[in-house]
Amino acid sequence: MDEALLRSLTPSVLAALVRRGADFAAAEDAVQEALVEAVRVWPADPPRDAKGWLITVAWRKFLDAARADTARRRREDLVDEEPTPGPAPAADDTLQLYFLCAHPSLTPSSAVALTLRAVGGLTTRQIARAYLVPEATMAQRISRAKRTVSTVRFDRPGDVATVLRVLYLVFNEGYSGDVDLAAEAIRLTRQLAASIDHPEVAGLLALMLLHHARRAARTAPDGSLVPLAEQDRGRWDAEAIAEGVTVLQKALARDRLGEYQAQAAVAALHADAPTAEETDWVQIVEWYDELIRLTDNPVARLNRAVAVGEADGPRAGLAALAELDAALPRHTAVAAYLHERDGDPTTAARLYAEAARKAHDLAERDHLTRQAARLNSCPRH
């Protein structure tokens, strides 16, 4: 069973049901039932047209549920609109569905969460982690969003900012390795950039390209993480870096700075350095200052503390870190790194071990555990 194929077809199938009159929550339930049916049937009897098969089965699942509802008469009229068997149109509805989920009746945070769950394929736990909230809180938020969009028509699509936020989070989750969605996020952002003249769309595309360019060097052959400073820069994708820098420069020239452009500028400075030692950390700190001015994002403040530690020394980095909430993800790992650089391996080893226990990602947990073991094995003088 090709799970990647099923995941790629889900947005188009969901969009097809919504266009034919299904409310969002019921359409999503029907699509999930069709996917389960595909997993059961396809290994023995694969369809010639996978997308058409899913649309037909999902529509019938929706109609079965609709007939059991109190509004029987209205919903049975939809039978006449059942799609006919045969190949379905090849149109890509994914980006349109992103906009439809970013409905004005939803708050931006609820729209993002709904789209990540229904279209992006992320789990509630992954979305909750991205928002730094408990999983139960995010589950309630998504349920409320489903109820809201089930009572409205999708004739007023959401704004670009909300769609960009969704694409950004999908890319980040894909880039982490839990779900391989990074390439899909880049594809959709390219589509958006080609259809909308917006500097922040360009900024996000540049950011994705610059990060994705380093992907091959981020892990060793055994799957372990390779920190940025230790990566083989010869494995970085020079073509993607060049494209990302060009896209970013054009966006910055419009003098309408936004958070994605600022983040892309940081990524470009890393990509521009021939070696880790030649990284322009002073400029990176300045770009983080711009990003914090734009967003006041706690993760940006955490990353700035690392940059300050590189530019002005580990003591300065620890002082910047002390101003932040210790509950922030990776706060303990950053503290460990800065203490090690400050010549305190005992504290660093203890903090690396603590950070490993807190890590959600297995590769990150293994990396932090190895860092702690490395320091604990070193002789103390």
Side-chain angles (χ1 to χ4, degrees):
M1 171 57 59
D2 191 341
E3 294 184 5
L5 174 62
L6 287 177
R7 189 186 307 126
S8 68
L9 291 175
T10 298
S12 293
V13 177
L14 184 55
L17 266 64
V18 170
R19 280 199 303 269
R20 288 175 171 84
D23 66 68
F24 191 91
E28 187 190 11
D29 290 342
V31 171
Q32 293 303 315
E33 289 189 38
L35 294 176
V36 171
E37 187 75 1
V39 171
R40 186 182 68 82
V41 172
W42 286 10
D45 185 21
R48 286 178 294 179
D49 174 30
K51 179 179 175 182
W53 189 97
L54 284 171
I55 291 174
T56 300
V57 172
W59 185 252
R60 288 172 179 165
K61 296 287 186 183
F62 165 72
L63 291 177
D64 288 343
R67 292 190 186 99
D69 196 86
T70 54
R72 177 181 302 272
R73 182 181 302 176
R74 168 67 188 94
R75 293 182 177 177
E76 286 186 344
D77 290 340
L78 299 175
V79 174
D80 295 335
E81 300 176 29
E82 179 176 342
T84 56
D92 183 354
D93 300 302
T94 308
L95 191 57
Q96 179 190 17
L97 198 57
Y98 271 59
F99 273 95
L100 293 178
C101 286
H103 197 274
S105 63
L106 297 174
T107 64
S109 60
S110 294
V112 171
L114 177 63
T115 314
L116 289 172
R117 183 70 187 91
V119 190
L122 274 62
T123 66
T124 303
R125 177 174 298 179
Q126 290 169 327
I127 302 167
R129 192 165 69 235
Y131 271 91
L132 310 180
V133 300
E135 183 177 353
T137 300
M138 183 53 65
Q140 292 175 353
R141 184 180 300 176
I142 293 172
S143 294
R144 286 195 299 269
K146 286 182 179 179
R147 287 196 298 270
T148 299
V149 299
S150 293
T151 63
V152 300
R153 292 186 60 82
F154 285 108
D155 54 1
R156 297 162 58 217
D159 64 2
V160 175
T162 301
V163 173
L164 289 180
R165 179 65 177 164
V166 175
L167 289 169
Y168 175 72
L169 290 175
V170 169
F171 176 82
N172 281 347
E173 195 61 53
Y175 194 62
S176 75
D178 285 345
V179 182
D180 190 7
L181 294 170
E184 173 69 358
I186 292 174
R187 183 183 71 84
L188 293 173
T189 306
R190 283 191 188 279
Q191 283 188 10
L192 190 58
S195 61
I196 298 177
D197 185 20
H198 192 297
E200 272 294 78
V201 176
L204 180 58
L205 178 58
L207 176 62
M208 290 178 174
L209 290 169
L210 291 165
H211 277 304
H212 207 60
R214 302 199 300 262
R215 187 168 190 175
R218 290 183 73 242
T219 55
D222 63 359
S224 60
L225 287 181
V226 180
L228 177 61
E230 301 172 19
Q231 288 176 14
D232 177 1
R233 300 187 177 217
R235 298 184 66 197
W236 290 1
D237 186 339
E239 185 176 334
I241 290 173
E243 181 185 2
V245 169
T246 298
V247 171
L248 173 62
Q249 288 174 338
K250 290 180 180 178
L252 291 174
R254 301 180 62 177
D255 199 25
R256 289 169 54 194
L257 184 64
E259 61 175 303
Y260 300 117
Q261 295 170 71
Q263 290 187 64
V266 171
L269 287 168
H270 283 299
D272 188 54
T275 65
E277 293 73 23
E278 295 173 86
T279 303
D280 191 342
W281 287 106
V282 173
Q283 269 204 73
I284 288 176
V285 171
E286 292 173 354
W287 276 112
Y288 275 125
D289 287 338
E290 289 288 344
L291 182 58
I292 291 166
R293 180 182 62 80
L294 290 165
T295 67
D296 196 28
N297 186 289
V299 176
R301 290 186 179 276
L302 185 68
N303 291 335
R304 180 185 181 278
V306 177
V308 168
E310 299 290 351
D312 301 327
R315 295 282 175 92
L318 286 167
L321 187 65
E323 300 175 0
L324 306 179
D325 184 354
L328 276 173
R330 296 189 172 88
H331 184 284
T332 308
V334 170
Y337 172 75
L338 291 172
H339 275 289
E340 180 182 0
R341 289 204 56 230
D342 194 39
D344 186 358
T346 301
T347 300
R350 175 178 58 80
L351 290 171
Y352 275 130
E354 181 182 340
R357 290 192 294 271
K358 295 178 178 178
H360 296 286
D361 180 75
L362 180 59
E364 181 181 359
R365 185 184 311 148
D366 290 345
H367 170 72
L368 293 168
T369 301
R370 283 193 296 271
Q371 295 295 88
R374 172 180 57 81
L375 292 178
N376 284 326
S377 66
C378 293
R380 302 286 191 264
H381 298 289

Short mmCIF file of all heavy atoms in Angstrom, two decimals, residues 73-128:
data_model
loop_
_atom_site.label_atom_id
_atom_site.label_comp_id
_atom_site.label_asym_id
_atom_site.label_seq_id
_atom_site.Cartn_x
_atom_site.Cartn_y
_atom_site.Cartn_z
N ARG A 73 -34.28 14.89 3.63
CA ARG A 73 -34.79 15.29 2.31
C ARG A 73 -33.76 16.12 1.55
O ARG A 73 -33.50 15.87 0.38
CB ARG A 73 -36.08 16.10 2.46
CG ARG A 73 -36.69 16.51 1.11
CD ARG A 73 -37.94 17.32 1.30
NE ARG A 73 -38.93 16.59 2.08
CZ ARG A 73 -40.08 17.11 2.46
NH1 ARG A 73 -40.37 18.37 2.14
NH2 ARG A 73 -40.96 16.40 3.15
N ARG A 74 -33.17 17.11 2.24
CA ARG A 74 -32.21 17.98 1.56
C ARG A 74 -30.97 17.20 1.13
O ARG A 74 -30.48 17.35 0.01
CB ARG A 74 -31.79 19.12 2.50
CG ARG A 74 -30.57 19.92 2.00
CD ARG A 74 -30.89 20.71 0.73
NE ARG A 74 -29.69 21.32 0.17
CZ ARG A 74 -28.94 20.77 -0.77
NH1 ARG A 74 -29.28 19.59 -1.27
NH2 ARG A 74 -27.87 21.39 -1.22
N ARG A 75 -30.53 16.34 1.96
CA ARG A 75 -29.28 15.67 1.66
C ARG A 75 -29.44 14.54 0.66
O ARG A 75 -28.51 14.20 -0.07
CB ARG A 75 -28.64 15.16 2.96
CG ARG A 75 -28.21 16.33 3.83
CD ARG A 75 -27.54 15.92 5.10
NE ARG A 75 -27.09 17.10 5.83
CZ ARG A 75 -26.52 17.08 7.01
NH1 ARG A 75 -26.32 15.93 7.61
NH2 ARG A 75 -26.14 18.19 7.60
N GLU A 76 -30.63 13.96 0.57
CA GLU A 76 -30.83 12.92 -0.43
C GLU A 76 -30.86 13.50 -1.83
O GLU A 76 -30.63 12.79 -2.81
CB GLU A 76 -32.12 12.14 -0.13
CG GLU A 76 -31.95 11.19 1.06
CD GLU A 76 -33.16 10.32 1.27
OE1 GLU A 76 -34.23 10.65 0.70
OE2 GLU A 76 -33.06 9.32 2.00
N ASP A 77 -31.15 14.81 -1.93
CA ASP A 77 -31.08 15.46 -3.24
C ASP A 77 -29.67 15.42 -3.80
O ASP A 77 -29.47 15.54 -5.02
CB ASP A 77 -31.55 16.91 -3.14
CG ASP A 77 -33.05 17.01 -2.88
OD1 ASP A 77 -33.77 16.01 -3.15
OD2 ASP A 77 -33.48 18.08 -2.43
N LEU A 78 -28.68 15.28 -2.92
CA LEU A 78 -27.29 15.28 -3.38
C LEU A 78 -26.94 14.02 -4.16
O LEU A 78 -25.90 13.94 -4.81
CB LEU A 78 -26.35 15.42 -2.19
CG LEU A 78 -26.47 16.69 -1.36
CD1 LEU A 78 -25.56 16.61 -0.15
CD2 LEU A 78 -26.12 17.91 -2.20
N VAL A 79 -27.79 13.00 -4.09
CA VAL A 79 -27.51 11.75 -4.82
C VAL A 79 -27.33 12.03 -6.31
O VAL A 79 -26.51 11.41 -6.99
CB VAL A 79 -28.64 10.73 -4.59
CG1 VAL A 79 -28.44 9.49 -5.47
CG2 VAL A 79 -28.70 10.34 -3.12
N ASP A 80 -28.11 12.96 -6.82
CA ASP A 80 -28.05 13.27 -8.25
C ASP A 80 -26.69 13.81 -8.65
O ASP A 80 -26.33 13.80 -9.83
CB ASP A 80 -29.13 14.28 -8.63
CG ASP A 80 -30.53 13.71 -8.45
OD1 ASP A 80 -30.65 12.46 -8.51
OD2 ASP A 80 -31.47 14.50 -8.24
N GLU A 81 -25.94 14.32 -7.67
CA GLU A 81 -24.66 14.92 -7.99
C GLU A 81 -23.50 13.95 -7.81
O GLU A 81 -22.34 14.34 -7.88
CB GLU A 81 -24.43 16.16 -7.12
CG GLU A 81 -25.48 17.24 -7.30
CD GLU A 81 -25.27 18.39 -6.34
OE1 GLU A 81 -24.11 18.64 -5.95
OE2 GLU A 81 -26.25 19.05 -5.98
N GLU A 82 -23.79 12.69 -7.56
CA GLU A 82 -22.70 11.72 -7.35
C GLU A 82 -21.80 11.70 -8.59
O GLU A 82 -22.27 11.60 -9.73
CB GLU A 82 -23.28 10.33 -7.11
CG GLU A 82 -22.20 9.29 -6.92
CD GLU A 82 -22.81 7.93 -6.57
OE1 GLU A 82 -23.97 7.89 -6.17
OE2 GLU A 82 -22.09 6.94 -6.72
N PRO A 83 -20.49 11.78 -8.37
CA PRO A 83 -19.58 11.76 -9.51
C PRO A 83 -19.67 10.45 -10.27
O PRO A 83 -19.80 9.38 -9.68
CB PRO A 83 -18.20 11.94 -8.87
CG PRO A 83 -18.38 11.49 -7.45
CD PRO A 83 -19.80 11.85 -7.10
N THR A 84 -19.59 10.53 -11.58
CA THR A 84 -19.67 9.34 -12.40
C THR A 84 -18.34 8.60 -12.35
O THR A 84 -17.28 9.19 -12.17
CB THR A 84 -19.99 9.72 -13.86
OG1 THR A 84 -18.99 10.63 -14.31
CG2 THR A 84 -21.35 10.37 -13.95
N PRO A 85 -18.39 7.26 -12.50
CA PRO A 85 -17.15 6.49 -12.52
C PRO A 85 -16.26 6.93 -13.67
O PRO A 85 -16.71 7.46 -14.68
CB PRO A 85 -17.63 5.05 -12.70
CG PRO A 85 -19.06 5.06 -12.24
CD PRO A 85 -19.58 6.42 -12.60
N GLY A 86 -14.97 6.65 -13.52
CA GLY A 86 -14.03 7.02 -14.57
C GLY A 86 -12.98 7.97 -14.05
O GLY A 86 -13.02 8.40 -12.90
N PRO A 87 -12.00 8.31 -14.88
CA PRO A 87 -10.90 9.18 -14.45
C PRO A 87 -11.40 10.51 -13.93
O PRO A 87 -12.31 11.12 -14.48
CB PRO A 87 -10.07 9.36 -15.74
CG PRO A 87 -10.42 8.18 -16.58
CD PRO A 87 -11.87 7.87 -16.27
N ALA A 88 -10.81 10.97 -12.84
CA ALA A 88 -11.16 12.26 -12.27
C ALA A 88 -10.25 13.33 -12.84
O ALA A 88 -9.17 13.04 -13.34
CB ALA A 88 -11.00 12.22 -10.74
N PRO A 89 -10.65 14.61 -12.80
CA PRO A 89 -9.80 15.68 -13.30
C PRO A 89 -8.45 15.68 -12.60
O PRO A 89 -8.35 15.35 -11.41
CB PRO A 89 -10.60 16.96 -12.98
CG PRO A 89 -12.01 16.48 -12.86
CD PRO A 89 -11.95 15.10 -12.31
N ALA A 90 -7.43 16.09 -13.32
CA ALA A 90 -6.07 16.06 -12.78
C ALA A 90 -5.70 17.32 -12.02
O ALA A 90 -4.58 17.50 -11.62
CB ALA A 90 -5.07 15.86 -13.93
N ALA A 91 -6.65 18.22 -11.82
CA ALA A 91 -6.37 19.49 -11.14
C ALA A 91 -5.87 19.25 -9.73
O ALA A 91 -6.29 18.32 -9.05
CB ALA A 91 -7.63 20.35 -11.11
N ASP A 92 -4.93 20.10 -9.27
CA ASP A 92 -4.39 20.03 -7.93
C ASP A 92 -5.16 21.01 -7.05
O ASP A 92 -5.05 22.22 -7.21
CB ASP A 92 -2.90 20.38 -7.94
CG ASP A 92 -2.27 20.25 -6.57
OD1 ASP A 92 -3.00 20.00 -5.60
OD2 ASP A 92 -1.04 20.40 -6.47
N ASP A 93 -5.97 20.47 -6.14
CA ASP A 93 -6.83 21.31 -5.31
C ASP A 93 -6.20 21.66 -3.97
O ASP A 93 -6.82 22.33 -3.15
CB ASP A 93 -8.16 20.58 -5.03
CG ASP A 93 -8.92 20.27 -6.31
OD1 ASP A 93 -9.21 21.24 -7.04
OD2 ASP A 93 -9.21 19.10 -6.55
N THR A 94 -4.98 21.20 -3.72
CA THR A 94 -4.42 21.31 -2.38
C THR A 94 -4.32 22.75 -1.91
O THR A 94 -4.77 23.11 -0.82
CB THR A 94 -3.04 20.65 -2.32
OG1 THR A 94 -3.12 19.32 -2.84
CG2 THR A 94 -2.54 20.59 -0.89
N LEU A 95 -3.73 23.62 -2.74
CA LEU A 95 -3.55 25.00 -2.32
C LEU A 95 -4.89 25.69 -2.13
O LEU A 95 -5.08 26.48 -1.19
CB LEU A 95 -2.69 25.75 -3.35
CG LEU A 95 -2.20 27.14 -2.92
CD1 LEU A 95 -1.39 27.06 -1.64
CD2 LEU A 95 -1.36 27.77 -4.03
N GLN A 96 -5.86 25.40 -3.02
CA GLN A 96 -7.20 25.97 -2.87
C GLN A 96 -7.81 25.54 -1.54
O GLN A 96 -8.44 26.33 -0.84
CB GLN A 96 -8.10 25.52 -4.01
CG GLN A 96 -9.52 26.07 -3.90
CD GLN A 96 -10.48 25.43 -4.90
OE1 GLN A 96 -10.17 24.38 -5.45
NE2 GLN A 96 -11.62 26.05 -5.10
N LEU A 97 -7.59 24.28 -1.18
CA LEU A 97 -8.15 23.79 0.07
C LEU A 97 -7.50 24.47 1.27
O LEU A 97 -8.15 24.71 2.29
CB LEU A 97 -7.98 22.27 0.16
CG LEU A 97 -8.86 21.55 1.17
CD1 LEU A 97 -10.33 21.82 0.89
CD2 LEU A 97 -8.58 20.05 1.14
N TYR A 98 -6.23 24.79 1.18
CA TYR A 98 -5.56 25.55 2.24
C TYR A 98 -6.29 26.87 2.46
O TYR A 98 -6.53 27.29 3.60
CB TYR A 98 -4.10 25.82 1.88
CG TYR A 98 -3.13 24.75 2.30
CD1 TYR A 98 -3.25 23.43 1.85
CD2 TYR A 98 -2.08 25.04 3.15
CE1 TYR A 98 -2.35 22.45 2.23
CE2 TYR A 98 -1.17 24.07 3.54
CZ TYR A 98 -1.31 22.78 3.08
OH TYR A 98 -0.42 21.82 3.47
N PHE A 99 -6.61 27.55 1.37
CA PHE A 99 -7.31 28.84 1.49
C PHE A 99 -8.72 28.66 2.04
O PHE A 99 -9.19 29.47 2.84
CB PHE A 99 -7.36 29.54 0.14
CG PHE A 99 -6.14 30.38 -0.14
CD1 PHE A 99 -5.09 29.87 -0.88
CD2 PHE A 99 -6.05 31.68 0.34
CE1 PHE A 99 -3.96 30.63 -1.12
CE2 PHE A 99 -4.93 32.45 0.09
CZ PHE A 99 -3.88 31.93 -0.64
N LEU A 100 -9.39 27.60 1.61
CA LEU A 100 -10.75 27.38 2.09
C LEU A 100 -10.76 27.10 3.59
O LEU A 100 -11.68 27.52 4.31
CB LEU A 100 -11.39 26.22 1.33
CG LEU A 100 -11.67 26.45 -0.16
CD1 LEU A 100 -12.27 25.21 -0.78
CD2 LEU A 100 -12.58 27.65 -0.36
N CYS A 101 -9.77 26.39 4.08
CA CYS A 101 -9.71 26.10 5.52
C CYS A 101 -9.38 27.34 6.33
O CYS A 101 -9.71 27.41 7.52
CB CYS A 101 -8.67 25.02 5.79
SG CYS A 101 -9.18 23.37 5.30
N ALA A 102 -8.73 28.32 5.72
CA ALA A 102 -8.41 29.56 6.42
C ALA A 102 -9.60 30.51 6.33
O ALA A 102 -9.51 31.65 5.89
CB ALA A 102 -7.16 30.21 5.80
N HIS A 103 -10.77 30.03 6.76
CA HIS A 103 -12.02 30.76 6.61
C HIS A 103 -12.09 31.94 7.57
O HIS A 103 -11.63 31.85 8.71
CB HIS A 103 -13.20 29.82 6.85
CG HIS A 103 -14.50 30.33 6.35
ND1 HIS A 103 -15.31 31.16 7.09
CD2 HIS A 103 -15.13 30.16 5.16
CE1 HIS A 103 -16.39 31.46 6.40
NE2 HIS A 103 -16.31 30.85 5.22
N PRO A 104 -12.66 33.07 7.14
CA PRO A 104 -12.75 34.25 8.02
C PRO A 104 -13.53 34.01 9.31
O PRO A 104 -13.37 34.76 10.28
CB PRO A 104 -13.47 35.29 7.14
CG PRO A 104 -13.21 34.85 5.74
CD PRO A 104 -13.16 33.36 5.78
N SER A 105 -14.37 32.99 9.34
CA SER A 105 -15.12 32.72 10.56
C SER A 105 -14.27 32.09 11.66
O SER A 105 -14.70 32.00 12.80
CB SER A 105 -16.31 31.81 10.25
OG SER A 105 -15.86 30.54 9.79
N LEU A 106 -13.06 31.66 11.30
CA LEU A 106 -12.15 31.05 12.26
C LEU A 106 -11.07 32.04 12.68
O LEU A 106 -10.66 32.88 11.89
CB LEU A 106 -11.49 29.81 11.66
CG LEU A 106 -12.38 28.64 11.28
CD1 LEU A 106 -11.56 27.58 10.57
CD2 LEU A 106 -13.06 28.06 12.50
N THR A 107 -10.59 31.89 13.91
CA THR A 107 -9.40 32.64 14.29
C THR A 107 -8.21 32.08 13.51
O THR A 107 -8.24 30.91 13.10
CB THR A 107 -9.12 32.51 15.79
OG1 THR A 107 -8.83 31.13 16.09
CG2 THR A 107 -10.31 32.98 16.62
N PRO A 108 -7.17 32.88 13.29
CA PRO A 108 -6.01 32.36 12.55
C PRO A 108 -5.44 31.08 13.17
O PRO A 108 -5.10 30.14 12.45
CB PRO A 108 -5.01 33.52 12.63
CG PRO A 108 -5.88 34.74 12.73
CD PRO A 108 -7.05 34.31 13.57
N SER A 109 -5.34 31.02 14.50
CA SER A 109 -4.75 29.83 15.12
C SER A 109 -5.62 28.60 14.90
O SER A 109 -5.12 27.50 14.64
CB SER A 109 -4.55 30.06 16.62
OG SER A 109 -5.78 30.33 17.26
N SER A 110 -6.95 28.76 14.93
CA SER A 110 -7.85 27.63 14.70
C SER A 110 -7.82 27.20 13.23
O SER A 110 -7.86 26.01 12.92
CB SER A 110 -9.28 27.99 15.09
OG SER A 110 -9.39 28.20 16.48
N ALA A 111 -7.73 28.18 12.33
CA ALA A 111 -7.66 27.85 10.90
C ALA A 111 -6.40 27.07 10.59
O ALA A 111 -6.42 26.10 9.82
CB ALA A 111 -7.72 29.14 10.07
N VAL A 112 -5.29 27.49 11.18
CA VAL A 112 -4.03 26.79 10.96
C VAL A 112 -4.12 25.36 11.49
O VAL A 112 -3.74 24.39 10.81
CB VAL A 112 -2.86 27.54 11.63
CG1 VAL A 112 -1.59 26.70 11.60
CG2 VAL A 112 -2.61 28.86 10.93
N ALA A 113 -4.63 25.22 12.70
CA ALA A 113 -4.72 23.89 13.30
C ALA A 113 -5.62 22.97 12.47
O ALA A 113 -5.28 21.80 12.24
CB ALA A 113 -5.26 24.01 14.72
N LEU A 114 -6.76 23.48 12.02
CA LEU A 114 -7.68 22.68 11.21
C LEU A 114 -7.03 22.23 9.91
O LEU A 114 -7.13 21.07 9.50
CB LEU A 114 -8.95 23.48 10.91
CG LEU A 114 -9.97 22.79 10.01
CD1 LEU A 114 -10.51 21.52 10.65
CD2 LEU A 114 -11.12 23.74 9.67
N THR A 115 -6.33 23.14 9.25
CA THR A 115 -5.71 22.81 7.97
C THR A 115 -4.59 21.80 8.14
O THR A 115 -4.44 20.86 7.35
CB THR A 115 -5.16 24.07 7.29
OG1 THR A 115 -6.14 25.10 7.35
CG2 THR A 115 -4.81 23.80 5.84
N LEU A 116 -3.79 21.97 9.18
CA LEU A 116 -2.71 21.01 9.44
C LEU A 116 -3.27 19.61 9.67
O LEU A 116 -2.70 18.62 9.21
CB LEU A 116 -1.90 21.46 10.66
CG LEU A 116 -1.02 22.69 10.47
CD1 LEU A 116 -0.43 23.12 11.81
CD2 LEU A 116 0.09 22.43 9.47
N ARG A 117 -4.40 19.54 10.37
CA ARG A 117 -4.98 18.23 10.68
C ARG A 117 -5.68 17.64 9.47
O ARG A 117 -5.51 16.45 9.15
CB ARG A 117 -5.98 18.38 11.83
CG ARG A 117 -6.59 17.06 12.29
CD ARG A 117 -5.57 16.20 13.00
NE ARG A 117 -6.10 14.87 13.30
CZ ARG A 117 -5.98 13.83 12.49
NH1 ARG A 117 -5.35 13.96 11.33
NH2 ARG A 117 -6.46 12.66 12.83
N ALA A 118 -6.50 18.44 8.78
CA ALA A 118 -7.34 17.91 7.71
C ALA A 118 -6.62 17.77 6.39
O ALA A 118 -6.89 16.85 5.62
CB ALA A 118 -8.57 18.80 7.53
N VAL A 119 -5.69 18.69 6.10
CA VAL A 119 -5.05 18.72 4.78
C VAL A 119 -3.58 18.34 4.88
O VAL A 119 -3.05 17.62 4.03
CB VAL A 119 -5.18 20.12 4.13
CG1 VAL A 119 -4.72 20.06 2.68
CG2 VAL A 119 -6.60 20.63 4.22
N GLY A 120 -2.90 18.83 5.92
CA GLY A 120 -1.48 18.58 6.03
C GLY A 120 -1.11 17.19 6.49
O GLY A 120 0.02 16.76 6.32
N GLY A 121 -2.07 16.48 7.08
CA GLY A 121 -1.81 15.12 7.50
C GLY A 121 -1.08 14.99 8.82
O GLY A 121 -0.63 13.90 9.19
N LEU A 122 -0.94 16.08 9.58
CA LEU A 122 -0.27 16.02 10.86
C LEU A 122 -1.21 15.50 11.95
O LEU A 122 -2.42 15.67 11.86
CB LEU A 122 0.25 17.41 11.28
CG LEU A 122 1.64 17.81 10.75
CD1 LEU A 122 1.65 17.87 9.23
CD2 LEU A 122 2.07 19.14 11.33
N THR A 123 -0.65 14.89 12.97
CA THR A 123 -1.46 14.42 14.08
C THR A 123 -1.73 15.58 15.04
O THR A 123 -1.04 16.60 15.02
CB THR A 123 -0.74 13.31 14.86
OG1 THR A 123 0.44 13.85 15.48
CG2 THR A 123 -0.34 12.17 13.93
N THR A 124 -2.73 15.39 15.89
CA THR A 124 -3.04 16.42 16.88
C THR A 124 -1.84 16.66 17.80
O THR A 124 -1.55 17.80 18.18
CB THR A 124 -4.26 15.99 17.73
OG1 THR A 124 -5.36 15.75 16.85
CG2 THR A 124 -4.63 17.07 18.73
N ARG A 125 -1.11 15.61 18.12
CA ARG A 125 0.07 15.75 18.98
C ARG A 125 1.14 16.61 18.31
O ARG A 125 1.75 17.47 18.95
CB ARG A 125 0.64 14.38 19.32
CG ARG A 125 1.92 14.42 20.16
CD ARG A 125 2.34 13.03 20.57
NE ARG A 125 1.33 12.40 21.41
CZ ARG A 125 1.44 11.17 21.90
NH1 ARG A 125 2.50 10.43 21.61
NH2 ARG A 125 0.49 10.67 22.66
N GLN A 126 1.38 16.38 17.02
CA GLN A 126 2.38 17.18 16.31
C GLN A 126 1.99 18.64 16.25
O GLN A 126 2.83 19.54 16.42
CB GLN A 126 2.57 16.62 14.90
CG GLN A 126 3.25 15.27 14.86
CD GLN A 126 3.17 14.63 13.48
OE1 GLN A 126 2.20 14.80 12.76
NE2 GLN A 126 4.21 13.89 13.11
N ILE A 127 0.70 18.91 16.02
CA ILE A 127 0.23 20.29 15.95
C ILE A 127 0.34 20.96 17.31
O ILE A 127 0.77 22.12 17.43
CB ILE A 127 -1.22 20.34 15.44
CG1 ILE A 127 -1.33 19.69 14.05
CG2 ILE A 127 -1.73 21.78 15.37
CD1 ILE A 127 -2.75 19.42 13.60
N ALA A 128 -0.02 20.24 18.36
CA ALA A 128 0.08 20.78 19.72
C ALA A 128 1.52 21.14 20.06
O ALA A 128 1.79 22.18 20.67
CB ALA A 128 -0.48 19.78 20.73
#
